[in-house]
Amino acid sequence: MHVQKKGIAILGSTGSIGTQALEVIESNPNYFDLQVLTAGSNVSLLIEQAKKYKPNTVVIANEEKYLELRNALEDFDIHVYAGSDALSQVVESKEVHVVLTALVGYAGLIPTIKAIESRKTIALANKETLVVAGELIKKLARKYQSNIYPVDSEHSAIFQCLMGEYKNPIEKIYLTASGGPFRGYSLEQLKTVTLKQALKHPNWSMGAKITIDSASMMNKGLEIIEAKWLFDLKEDQIDVIVHPQSIIHSIVQFEDGSMKAQMGLPDMKLPIQFALTYPDRLPSTFPRFNFLDYPQLNFEKPDVEVFTSLSLAREAMLMEGTAACSLNAANEIAVEAFLNEKISFLDILEVNEKVLKQINNQTSPSLTDYIDADKEARNFAKKLCGIN
Ligand code: NAD
Ligand code: MG
């Protein structure tokens, strides 16, 4: 029997999710056909990946790196483009079936919209897209009959627990959270934490932005909003439980009280692979979980007094409109400022709160409203961070 291979485009192939996705694809050469690789600025790794995996097309978002990329791939039969418009255009190719959105931040929004409009399947790692414009993305996905499969481990867990349950309403879900490097810290202790400490996540190795978001628990805040849109949930149906070992990836509770959890070692390759192969499960050699290595699994209430990101994200979600878009923009600026050691760790939370309190919330937003809200919140956040 001839089975057509799945044509894959990876947006953000040089990042943490992108490189792990390439390992998954490399292990299953009869299943996947790698079509497109893209990166923001990391041209040297993109060149290396292009030479190794020989995709049909590569794109570098940073146009200044175009010549370097083109020259390096001169002797290869690979199309080379640059710029963010090209990034959006390459997902339209008819050879591409699944678009893995593994780029970070608001930059994921427009390419994801283009992929949906081209009726591609979306393997969504870029949670910011749903945080920023969940309402619009859902509308477009329905209109263009494009399926969105989550890569985020918690959402993949929920998605897996819901298989075969589509007629059974969800009572609530529990998103698990490791608690990050500052679990158990007081506000006083958070005042003096350093960049180096914040970048040290206990269980996961990830890109810098999501690592800081995990330390501030804004990542979990963003994931609450992501879950609302993926699974059509109300705010009070989404609970967060701190689970330091990151073995249970999340839990669904049904109306009869039954709870289903998905578990395994913390390894993003599993949710990446499942989003690319759904509904199939491909055999893998990923390390297996051993109960005796984890004689205890612990659960704690998140400290919402200290980690105000959780309530801030809930507030933005309840405000609807462009509120979460503004919060996300503020957070991207604040995290970047913290990474550049321009502001302190707690300043991130303060900038986010000030921006959310100040902005004009636009209800029933169009794409232009999201773009404007993002710009406005970024400008305000930059002022607060002392950046021009
Ligand atoms: P990363 O920083 O490691 O990689 C980001 C990728 O995006 C890189 O390839 C980079 O070149 C590209 N990129 C950055 N800015 C760009 C721009 N303006 N235009 C085009 N490309 C750009 O990030 P990551 O940790 O791989 O995370 C990617 C996404 O996946 C994020 O939205 C994150 O929240 C989500 N996610 C990551 C993990 C993880 O384990 N890393 C887990 C769950 C969800
Ligand atoms: Mg997650």
Side-chain angles (χ1 to χ4, degrees), residues 165-228:
E165 301 276 6
Y166 83 105
K167 279 189 185 152
N168 297 326
I170 298 172
E171 188 167 84
K172 67 188 292 187
I173 65 168
Y174 290 91
L175 296 177
T176 51
S178 70
F182 305 138
R183 180 172 64 89
Y185 276 41
S186 65
L187 263 184
E188 203 48 41
Q189 285 173 299
L190 280 188
K191 275 186 191 158
T192 52
V193 296
T194 62
L195 174 60
K196 201 168 151 211
Q197 286 174 297
L199 281 172
K200 221 168 164 246
H201 195 279
N203 303 343
W204 301 94
S205 155
M206 312 178 282
K209 194 253 175 185
I210 183 175
T211 303
I212 302 303
D213 283 348
S214 300
S216 69
M217 292 205 76
M218 181 50 90
N219 182 49
K220 213 47 58 179
L222 301 179
E223 288 184 355
I224 294 174
I225 303 174
E226 183 186 12
K228 166 198 160 89

Side-chain angles (χ1 to χ4, degrees), residues 12 14-17 40 61 102-103 107 125-128 152 206-207 210 268:
T14 57
S16 159
I17 294 289
L103 67 184
N126 180 260
K127 67 189 87 186
E128 292 91 344
D152 214 348
M206 312 178 282
I210 183 175
M268 285 308 297

Side-chain angles (χ1 to χ4, degrees), residues 149-167:
Y149 301 137
V151 169
D152 214 348
S153 57
E154 296 78 0
H155 305 73
S156 174
I158 304 289
F159 184 61
Q160 293 180 56
C161 292
L162 290 174
M163 286 173 78
E165 301 276 6
Y166 83 105
K167 279 189 185 152

Side-chain angles (χ1 to χ4, degrees), residues 43 47 58 60 65-76 78-82:
V43 70
I47 291 168
V58 295
I60 186 94
K65 310 275 172 126
Y66 172 68
L67 280 184
E68 189 180 345
L69 182 62
R70 198 199 60 187
N71 293 342
L73 298 178
E74 219 167 31
D75 297 335
F76 292 78
I78 298 175
H79 303 281
V80 179
Y81 303 103

Side-chain angles (χ1 to χ4, degrees), residues 93-140:
S93 153
K94 73 175 191 328
E95 312 301 328
V96 170
H97 305 118
V98 184
V99 177
L100 171 64
T101 66
L103 67 184
V104 59
Y106 175 83
L109 178 64
I110 304 291
T112 307
I113 289 178
K114 284 285 179 268
I116 292 173
E117 287 173 347
S118 312
R119 299 177 190 271
K120 306 302 180 191
T121 293
I122 311 294
L124 184 116
N126 180 260
K127 67 189 87 186
E128 292 91 344
T129 287
L130 280 183
V131 172
V132 166
E135 197 179 331
L136 176 67
I137 294 291
K138 287 289 284 196
K139 225 185 284 171
L140 291 173

Side-chain angles (χ1 to χ4, degrees), residues 34-37 49-51 53-58 77-78:
L34 186 64
Q35 284 287 325
V36 177
L37 294 178
Q49 291 178 340
K51 287 181 177 171
Y53 297 105
K54 304 194 177 56
N56 183 43
T57 304
V58 295
D77 188 16
I78 298 175

